[in-house]
Amino acid sequence: MNCSQQNLIKNGLLIILSLCLFISCEKKEKEKIIKIIDDKAIADENQSSDWLAYGRTHNERRFSPIKDINVGNVANLKVDWFLDLPNDVSLVSTPLVVDGTMYFTGTMNIIRAVDAVTGKLLWQFDPKVREAIKGKRQVGWAHSRGISFSEGKIFTATWDGRLIGINAKTGKEIWTAVTFDPNRSLFISGAPKAFKGKVLIGNGGTEEGPARGFVTAYDAETGKEAWKFYIVPGNPADGFENEAMEMAAKTWNGEWWKNGGGGNAWHGFTYDEELDVLYIGTGNGSPWNPRIRSPKVDDNLFLCSIVALKPDSGEYLWHYQTTPGEAWDYNSTMDIVLADLKIDGEDIKAILHAPKNGFFYVINRKTGKLISAEPFTEVTWASHIDLKTGKPVLTEGARYDKGPVDIAPDSWGGHTWHAMAYSPQTGLAYIPTLHRTDKYSDEGVVYDGWQSKEFSGGIGVSLSPADKQLSDHPSSLEAIDPVTQKKVWSIPQKDFWNAGILTTGGNLVLQGRSDGKLLAYNAKTGQIVWTFNIGLGISAPPITYKINDKQYISLLVGFGGGYARGGIDAYSLGWSYRTQTRRLITFSLEGTAEMPALSPRHFPKPIVDQNFIINENLAQKGYNEYWKCFNCHGDGMYSGGLAPDLRASGISLSKEAFTAVVRDGIKNEMGMPSFPDMTDEQIENLMHFIRKRAKETSVDYEHLVSKAIEKHSEE
Ligand code: CA
């Protein structure tokens, strides 16, 4: 071998060596790019780049350790990018951020993927909910609270009851599962929960028909049903599905199955990766009146409970019932937050839970045993929770069995689905809290033969304004120490409804308000450290993420949720249907985006048609039809922005146009369901009622508008 040959070999070896190095480097690089996002990764509280689950991690704390944006510099927060969503209405959902891409669901369950750094739209997936609802009666709303991610897939559940697996890279559908018969009066507004190769979903509709609540888990790869868990027992004559149902049936009497029983789990699913347990929050009874449901009032398991299940099989493990024999719509479908607490020197794996009933519960999640429960808002239905039995001690006549009674919280609850948060840094839970009292009465209720039917369920109780509101503010943000149950700080708010919370390692709490402002608070003290006027009511919770060493805060803006359907207060906010463009907005400390201002508050003016002779008798009949419309068009026909204000709509002036919309469904594309079996007479009656409402509310219009503007003029 000569020198040059030797050199050649040497060089060859070198080339091979460097090639090897290059390949291994590239491999490492690729490993870095293709992150493995399994349940362990989704449960990791220290991960700081992404927002991988509804509550950021499996623990549902909505706490991010990122502290680049903090109490000291949050005043410099500016808009980095924004995306207008002109066809969306109600935006209440939590976006996810996975590996540089943001995914979110909008109105009609349309999923969008955007570059989380630039806001550029990458793909859009339309599950064609508009087509699915065509010609069908619908209940519930066209909005969704979120989506779920696991191993390269996005999961979404649609209003009409489908669960869909989508390829996160391409936006293409992988599978679809139909989770209930679409002709039933059920709906989905909740986020599915992906865990351990499965995806869980429940549904809502307790008030709409004879509903028997259930949750179903599907295989994440194939969409095949893996297991189903019923929340209340069915007719014993048909046999019980499992021992848990047999046990639950002992807490019911009469023929409860005829009205379904209820318990629908429409929100509040948490997977405990550490203990390998799945917790579901369950809903209220169907109907609300417990004496119709099950005449000798009893606990009625598993209504208003947290139920712990084996994630692989859906088998029952334990339950804790927050509201036995519930009578007030006190869902326990609110967030189930996992926290590690030190209580009396002992390390406790805890659940934090603030259901509608107004008590803040700390529960040992290994045993299901109650540790503490104290009111976080005004509570009149129970004096306290007995820590020995774990049960509430009811006040006299609270179940309206001794006549009409004022009850707090009302059926909106002390806290509803708006996300709460828990910061392990401050040790505080942050609860978007509601303060309302309402009068409950069973006067006029015919107990004998009471039967709810699909799409006309009813609740078996009448509600009217309370003699006195117990709080001088309708909502507040409460910071509570779950170890001591002490309120550490409290911020009263002027408007009802109360969006979800984000808390961060920068000692921040961020929350949007119904009045269109996004605020940052000092997480320890509650001091306001930043306010940004977005100019449109906020109902969604903010999220945060970090890419290329830069922290972002992002949220969807579009007043929504059940309250946004209307009523005089929601209408008075001025976030009217399609007036202010709904948006996705992302902030950073270096943001330079110029975001055009939104249209000012708008209050649709009732049209008084002098040529229309209102027949009082027909208008009264129309009032009885209106319950089919009020879920979108508003209590008292005051729209809160989810749908057009019928008093101000030209369509409701023409029988031809009105029939085309209501019966023939020509506005299906916009989300208006059709009512194919509505008769000419019923349509006529509705038109008389609309004109009547327009006329009687027009008298007070100017006064109402000036009051609304004045209320929000300062600051
Ligand atoms: Ca309910």
Side-chain angles (χ1 to χ4, degrees):
M1 201 184 288
N2 61 32
C3 198
S4 65
Q5 278 173 320
Q6 271 179 355
N7 273 343
L8 254 177
I9 289 168
K10 255 196 213 159
N11 287 344
L13 276 172
L14 263 175
I15 288 167
I16 289 165
L17 204 69
S18 26
L19 250 174
C20 282
L21 267 171
F22 173 73
I23 288 166
S24 94
C25 265
E26 198 190 40
K27 220 172 139 193
K28 262 200 195 128
E29 203 49 47
K30 265 195 180 145
E31 271 165 15
K32 236 183 7 192
I33 291 164
I34 303 164
K35 282 194 244 172
I36 297 172
I37 302 172
D38 55 10
D39 284 296
K40 211 154 202 73
I42 297 174
D44 181 7
E45 285 297 323
N46 296 318
Q47 176 278 115
S48 63
S49 54
D50 295 342
W51 190 282
L52 296 173
Y54 178 73
R56 197 181 91 92
T57 72
H58 272 323
N59 299 323
E60 305 293 336
R61 291 177 191 165
R62 289 181 184 263
F63 169 81
S64 167
I66 319 175
K67 51 187 177 200
D68 304 52
I69 299 168
N70 54 54
V71 167
N73 61 19
V74 68
N76 302 321
L77 209 53
K78 291 177 200 80
V79 177
D80 197 290
W81 58 263
F82 65 95
L83 183 65
D84 280 351
L85 304 165
N87 294 321
D88 285 57
V89 184
S90 169
L91 291 172
V92 301
S93 75
T94 301
L96 302 181
V97 176
V98 185
D99 228 356
T101 303
M102 183 185 293
Y103 304 91
F104 68 96
T105 180
T107 308
M108 293 288 169
N109 306 106
I110 292 171
I111 313 291
R112 296 175 182 93
V114 297
D115 184 313
V117 170
T118 63
K120 186 179 163 260
L121 187 69
L122 302 174
W123 56 255
Q124 178 169 306
F125 173 79
D126 183 353
K128 305 218 179 319
V129 170
R130 294 176 177 95
E131 276 173 33
I133 62 164
K134 219 169 214 166
K136 288 183 191 135
R137 295 166 69 181
Q138 279 295 329
V139 290
W141 298 282
H143 59 242
S144 166
R145 288 183 294 278
I147 50 179
S148 202
F149 171 87
S150 95
E151 297 180 26
K153 289 184 211 62
I154 294 290
F155 304 99
T156 182
T158 62
W159 185 16
D160 53 293
R162 288 168 291 152
L163 181 69
I164 305 172
I166 302 162
N167 182 315
K169 282 270 168 288
T170 63
K172 296 275 180 286
E173 176 183 326
I174 301 171
W175 54 259
T176 291
V178 176
T179 73
F180 57 73
D181 176 353
N183 295 312
R184 294 216 40 214
S185 47
L186 299 172
F187 64 93
I188 299 179
S189 56
K193 177 72 197 167
F195 63 94
K196 280 192 101 177
K198 295 188 174 56
V199 193
L200 184 87
I201 191 68
N203 50 67
T206 325
E207 284 77 19
E208 318 292 343
R212 181 188 178 200
F214 62 87
V215 291
T216 318
Y218 296 84
D219 185 291
E221 287 300 315
T222 63
K224 221 176 129 243
E225 184 176 319
W227 53 259
K228 182 177 250 180
F229 181 82
Y230 282 99
I231 290 157
V232 296
N235 185 348
D238 301 336
F240 296 114
E241 287 84 1
N242 50 48
E243 283 175 17
M245 284 300 103
E246 199 174 344
M247 171 181 84
K250 295 192 173 100
T251 66
W252 293 77
N253 56 70
E255 297 179 305
W256 71 85
W257 56 89
K258 287 191 169 169
N259 287 308
N264 297 54
W266 48 266
H267 188 80
F269 310 128
T270 296
Y271 173 59
D272 185 337
E273 196 269 335
E274 205 179 341
L275 303 185
D276 192 27
V277 176
L278 184 72
Y279 310 104
I280 60 164
T282 71
N284 59 281
S286 176
W288 298 3
N289 187 326
R291 292 179 292 285
I292 296 173
R293 220 166 49 227
S294 186
K296 284 175 264 164
V297 176
D298 203 341
D299 287 357
N300 297 168
L301 293 173
F302 297 106
L303 296 183
C304 308
S305 303
I306 291 175
V307 184
L309 302 173
K310 285 188 187 167
D312 298 321
S313 61
E315 277 171 88
Y316 167 90
L317 288 168
W318 57 258
H319 74 276
Y320 176 78
Q321 189 174 41
T322 57
T323 316
E326 96 85 18
W328 314 272
D329 191 21
Y330 285 165
N331 300 279
S332 237
T333 50
M334 287 68 233
D335 308 320
I336 297 169
V337 178
L338 309 186
D340 300 330
L341 306 178
K342 206 173 199 76
I343 301 177
D344 295 331
E346 201 188 327
D347 289 321
I348 303 277
K349 300 262 162 241
I351 279 173
L352 311 182
H353 185 54
K356 273 191 185 178
N357 78 12
F359 286 96
F360 177 49
Y361 294 84
V362 181
I363 295 163
N364 183 323
R365 64 183 202 256
K366 278 189 175 159
T367 62
K369 219 178 151 308
L370 178 68
I371 295 168
S372 67
E374 291 294 335
F376 61 92
T377 182
E378 297 74 26
V379 173
T380 67
W381 66 278
S383 62
H384 64 287
I385 308 294
D386 182 333
L387 290 185
K388 276 211 188 84
T389 60
K391 289 191 173 192
V393 178
L394 263 65
T395 51
E396 180 81 5
R399 287 199 184 100
Y400 39 92
D401 47 346
K402 298 198 161 48
V405 59
D406 285 2
I407 292 288
D410 75 351
S411 55
W412 288 112
H415 168 230
T416 180
W417 51 265
H418 292 128
M420 62 177 275
Y422 168 72
S423 163
Q425 194 169 298
T426 60
L428 299 178
Y430 304 98
I431 305 175
T433 302
L434 303 173
H435 303 265
R436 269 201 178 178
T437 313
D438 215 355
K439 192 180 290 302
Y440 286 68
S441 167
D442 73 346
E443 275 175 4
V445 171
V446 180
Y447 282 87
D448 264 355
W450 203 96
Q451 178 61 55
S452 78
K453 294 188 186 75
E454 299 284 346
F455 296 100
S456 53
I459 56 177
V461 43
S462 65
L463 304 174
S464 53
D467 296 339
K468 191 176 157 238
Q469 288 299 318
L470 297 178
S471 169
D472 59 5
H473 49 273
S475 64
S476 66
L477 171 55
E478 305 289 337
I480 302 174
D481 182 339
V483 174
T484 61
Q485 284 277 5
K486 290 260 173 340
K487 274 191 185 180
V488 174
W489 53 264
S490 168
I491 308 286
Q493 295 173 3
K494 278 198 290 191
D495 295 296
F496 192 68
W497 222 216
N498 207 333
I501 314 283
L502 163 70
T503 180
T504 74
N507 191 27
L508 290 172
V509 163
L510 287 115
Q511 187 196 27
R513 290 195 314 215
S514 300
D515 67 358
K517 300 203 173 71
L518 175 63
L519 287 94
Y521 300 88
N522 179 316
K524 277 188 203 135
T525 65
Q527 189 201 352
I528 296 171
V529 285
W530 178 70
T531 305
F532 186 90
N533 188 2
I534 284 174
L536 172 59
I538 300 161
S539 300
I543 63 159
T544 189
Y545 57 97
K546 189 169 170 173
I547 297 173
N548 301 331
D549 224 26
K550 181 170 163 187
Q551 183 182 0
Y552 299 88
I553 288 170
S554 192
L555 94 159
L556 283 157
V557 180
F559 195 55
Y563 179 69
R565 73 182 173 214
I568 201 159
D569 288 348
Y571 168 85
S572 298
L573 287 164
W575 314 130
S576 81
Y577 183 67
R578 286 180 192 262
T579 301
Q580 299 90 2
T581 306
R582 276 54 178 162
R583 277 174 173 160
L584 169 64
I585 306 177
T586 297
F587 298 86
S588 77
L589 291 173
E590 294 100 52
T592 55
E594 299 268 346
M595 192 167 66
L598 294 169
S599 303
R601 290 170 198 272
H602 173 65
F603 308 89
K605 189 173 183 182
I607 301 170
V608 179
D609 181 3
Q610 303 296 354
N611 299 320
F612 193 106
I613 312 298
I614 299 162
N615 178 316
E616 283 297 327
N617 186 29
L618 300 186
Q620 179 57 40
K621 286 184 181 161
Y623 165 75
N624 295 333
E625 298 293 338
Y626 185 69
W627 66 266
K628 293 170 188 157
C629 322
F630 92 100
N631 249 349
C632 298
H633 294 282
D635 297 343
M637 222 177 275
Y638 290 100
S639 165
L642 280 193
D645 195 303
L646 296 180
R647 302 167 304 148
S649 156
I651 289 171
S652 56
L653 288 168
S654 144
K655 182 149 186 191
E656 204 182 5
F658 194 61
T659 306
V661 173
V662 175
R663 190 161 63 201
D664 308 336
I666 62 157
K667 294 271 184 189
N668 267 145
E669 272 297 305
M670 314 289 279
M672 168 71 192
S674 47
F675 296 83
D677 25 350
M678 207 175 248
T679 63
D680 278 349
E681 207 185 351
Q682 285 171 309
I683 287 173
E684 182 90 28
N685 295 344
L686 255 178
M687 288 180 69
H688 278 269
F689 181 54
I690 293 168
R691 293 279 60 83
K692 185 184 171 195
R693 283 304 290 156
K695 194 176 172 194
E696 63 197 16
T697 56
S698 70
V699 177
D700 199 35
Y701 175 77
E702 305 295 339
H703 176 64
L704 192 74
V705 171
S706 62
K707 230 171 62 183
I709 289 171
E710 193 196 319
K711 181 178 176 185
H712 296 107
S713 61
E714 73 264 38
E715 285 152 39

